Amino acid sequence: MSAVTPLLQMKGIVKRFPGVRALDGVDLEVLPGEVHCLLGQNGAGKSTLIKVLAGAHRPDEGVVTLGGEEVRPASPIDAIRLGISTIYQELDLVDGLTVAQNVFLGHEPSRLGFVGRSEVGRATRGLLTRLGHGEIRPGTEVGRLSPAAKQVVSMARALSRDTRLIVMDEPSAALAHDEVANLFRIIRELTAQGVAVIYISHRLEEIREIGDRVTVLKDGRTVAVGLPAKTTPTGEIVSLMTGRSVEHVFPPRPAPGSHEGRPEVLRVEDLAVPGVLSGVSFSVRAGEIVGLAGLVGSGRSEIIEAVYGARRFTGNVLLEGRPVGRGGTGRTVRLGMGLAPEERKSQALLLDQSVTRNISLAGLGRYSRLGWLDRRREAADARSLVERLDVRPGDPDRPVKTLSGGNQQKVVLARWLLNERRLLLLDEPTRGVDVGARAELYAVIRELADSGIGVLLVSSEVPEVLGLADRVLVIREGTVIHQGDARDLDEHRVLDMIMEGGAL
Amino acid sequence: MTEPQGRAPASPASPVDVAGSPAGPDAPGAAAPRPAPPPATRLSRLGEVPHLGLVAALALLAVVGLVTVPDTFASASNLVGILSLAATIGVITVGATFVIIGGGIDLSVGAVMALASVWATTLATQSYGPLIMIVCAVLVGAGAGLVNGLLIAYGRLVPFIATLAMLVAARGLAQRMSDRRTQLVQQGNQAIVDLSTTRVLGVPVLVYIFAVVVAAGWVLLNRTTFGRRTYAVGGNPEAARLAGIDVRRHTMWLYALSGLCCGIAAVLIMARTTTGSSTHGDLYELDAIAAVIIGGTLLTGGRGSIVGSILGLLIFTVITNLFILNGLNTSDQLIAKGLIIVVAVLLQRRSLRSPT
Ligand SMILES: Nc1ncnc2c1ncn2[C@@H]1O[C@H](COP(=O)(O)OP(=O)(O)OP(=O)(O)O)[C@@H](O)[C@H]1O
Ligand SMILES: [Mg+2]
């Protein structure tokens, strides 16, 4: 391995933000044609490191060498010229432009200054087809796409350039199972051509499948370099990452059928959204976690949105026997629902505002006496939730945008833990959350259910649905094709149903 | 520049406690932020730092005044004059700050104020006495604002268009009602004019009214759920909606609030000029918006403060005052104001860029 000269070397990288040393002497070495995985807890500094590499942040100290030469990418354009393409964790597409315009933004093929529109369209279609998403039209405005489709566009953009190194920051977070397979196929194609890939993910099984070597970060320092990705024991990786051993298990479930006698929190009858959902009926009992499994685009998120009153529907949605009606989200929140939406940045967070204000947003009524805010109680509650979910850094006054992705997700969850809810709707609650924190979140979710709340859970990770939920609904093309106890299913069966529709 | 000062105290907390966490995840997190006072002071300091530049600019202008016109500038009557001048637009600026933080814009403020002043000084209204005149002005203002709000929130009109239409229509209606004549406040209703002539501790009552409106606006924005929701609605409407906030209804109230402020401003202008007129408040919308922007409020919404807006307005008013005292012409004054807006926005952009 050491015989090959490394493509990229980063040595002693230090990056300080006001109040934090996000990187405190990080080393990274990537060989040509390898898939190098970067692992670390939320806030370990992974995204910051790749932003340094991509020219989006300037390091305070340290040396970067690419192909044997020292480089100092001062801006994203510099980095792109050097042959480094980056797919950021937080998508960075321009909503108002079309897919094709986004893909070629900044490097439009042009003749005499005129953008060759048809050429751009054709090239974009080619890239999307190669990514297995020929159905995304190059002329569509990006703002109208689903998060998963945006991810694909972002990938097409990275592929549209000549690159030696592609950096992917949690690319699989927004993708469903089959799309991840597709992504891996493309990564293999790239590496076969000698392109190196830096791959960041919190899903260890992905690292096993696609990775060659692993570098582990902890608290802004490198704690292990060049571990073999396939053979290093999980326990070792996890304890390197977290500094402790995590039992990555799902919390115990109550015995099957123990919810039978409990009252129904949610009853959905014949729910339909034209063109997306039809004839969806199910119920959630108090204390029960119901999981929705299905492909991205199968209608899972739409079910959640309709139930929450954020989307028009026909049919009946009853919360504790009361129809949700047309009152919108104001009414559903008042009746006792809470939603942690799929895309935290655009749908859930006030990025400029403090953690405290983000947590209290949906529960302002609790702190108000005739409209007057009790800020002391607000701050105290926020502080205790920050501790309970172990949000890092644990400073509730920090603007949310300075937190790492996984920690932002915890803030969104904290918002609904603050309020006593009757029903919680969780859309991809552990997206971007690290292994250690995941186990804690699972425990919190189960604890909430045990306290008598109903939980409706959407996740692209089938093992998560099967491990956490009591009952599972399998959704395909907008209809429920299977309903049953989670313990009667395994991953294979669910995947078969999701793909082929082979219901029982 | 705001960040290092604001958050420096937090620096040791995160890396240190995380590193020492093998025992359990909860303990260190709990221990580190324990000292209660720092967050509070940190927060208040953060809030003040952006205004530092404004205060400095105001101080600079004061120095210019003391040097160029030493006898007149610092005189009590001049300072009181500045405040009286600022009071009318000041009240409007408070309302405009809410609308802009909430992600909107209100171009109709000057026209609505004119309409309210005309309506309150018609012979019919005046026959009911000063109290009813005040009530009338405030209701007309709030009503016009409510119409703006309904059009924008439920009629889905773009705020720029809806309030532009209101600007034109309100001026027209004011002209119609007054027959384009200036309406004097009658002898029997001198109580209105007394608001500007009666002084308490040497300061006219209308300045106190201005101060009360500013204080009430500050409390509403910083200490109530209404204020919190305003930031949320302006900062990320989708997140606000999914958090159960009725974004449309809130938006409607923001414009009604702005209209209400215009109604109060109408009372002040009647007091100062002893008239109601369809020409009152011409271009006030620009002054108000400029003051809000100089004060650091983002035109895109979600960020801003009342204190900043008022400081921005005072800077504007003091410049006007200095130009007049120095006998300079008003065109130069406009050029100076234009430059200040550009500089303020450039500074604002720089402070926005620093965090990634
Ligand atoms: N612009 C910023 N200003 C201040 N602090 C920041 C900023 N960006 C990141 N940080 C801090 O730097 C640290 C590292 O964050 P980073 O986003 O690199 O973590 P990460 O390893 O990518 O985590 P995740 O898995 O959650 O995405 C965190 O403590 C974060 O709060
Ligand atoms: Mg990250």
Side-chain angles (χ1 to χ4, degrees), chain A residues 17-21 41 51 56-57 218-219 221 242-244 308-312 329-331 333-334 339 341 344-350 352-354 357 360-362 364-365 367-368 371-375 378 383 387-388 390 392-399 401-402 415-416 440, chain B residues 3-4 7-8 10-15 17-26 28-31 33-36 38-40 42-43 46 156 219 221-226 228-229 231-233 235-246 248-249 298 301-303 352 355-356:
Chain A
F17 289 114
V20 217
R21 273 169 96 93
Q41 277 183 291
K51 281 182 187 164
H57 285 326
K218 178 170 187 297
D219 305 331
R221 296 205 187 95
T242 60
R244 60 198 153 96
Y308 193 59
R311 188 179 260 280
R312 280 169 195 264
T329 56
R331 175 164 165 84
V333 170
R334 238 175 302 119
L339 166 73
R344 57 182 168 252
K345 209 172 165 188
S346 66
Q347 299 186 301
L349 293 171
L350 305 173
D352 278 341
Q353 309 235 347
S354 67
R357 287 181 169 214
S360 66
L361 184 66
L364 287 174
Y367 305 114
S368 113
W372 189 272
L373 268 180
D374 184 346
R375 288 156 73 235
E378 180 192 16
R383 187 168 291 278
E387 279 166 24
R388 176 160 164 212
D390 195 23
R392 293 173 193 214
D395 171 8
D397 296 327
R398 186 176 263 280
K401 71 171 166 213
T402 67
R415 175 180 298 166
W416 298 114
E440 286 160 33
Chain B
E3 299 226 327
R7 275 182 227 107
S11 59
S14 40
D17 74 40
V18 173
S21 67
D26 307 320
R34 220 0 82 74
R42 218 181 296 153
L43 203 67
L46 249 180
R156 309 267 177 110
V219 168
L221 190 59
N222 295 293
R223 289 290 180 272
T224 68
T225 51
F226 185 87
R228 265 316 157 66
R229 291 186 177 134
Y231 282 105
V233 165
N236 189 344
E238 176 69 357
R241 185 176 78 101
L242 291 179
I245 293 171
D246 191 333
R248 288 204 215 164
R249 197 174 55 196
L298 278 189
R303 263 214 228 177
L352 273 184
T356 318

Side-chain angles (χ1 to χ4, degrees), chain B residues 86-100:
Chain B
T88 316
I89 299 190
V91 169
I92 289 178
T93 302
V94 171
T97 306
F98 275 89
V99 169
I100 294 176

Side-chain angles (χ1 to χ4, degrees), chain A residues 17 20 22 41-48 89 170 202 393 398 402-406, chain B residues 356:
Chain A
F17 289 114
V20 217
Q41 277 183 291
N42 295 134
K46 305 178 296 294
S47 297
T48 307
Q89 178 173 19
E170 301 193 30
H202 288 294
R398 186 176 263 280
T402 67
L403 298 187
S404 72
Chain B
T356 318

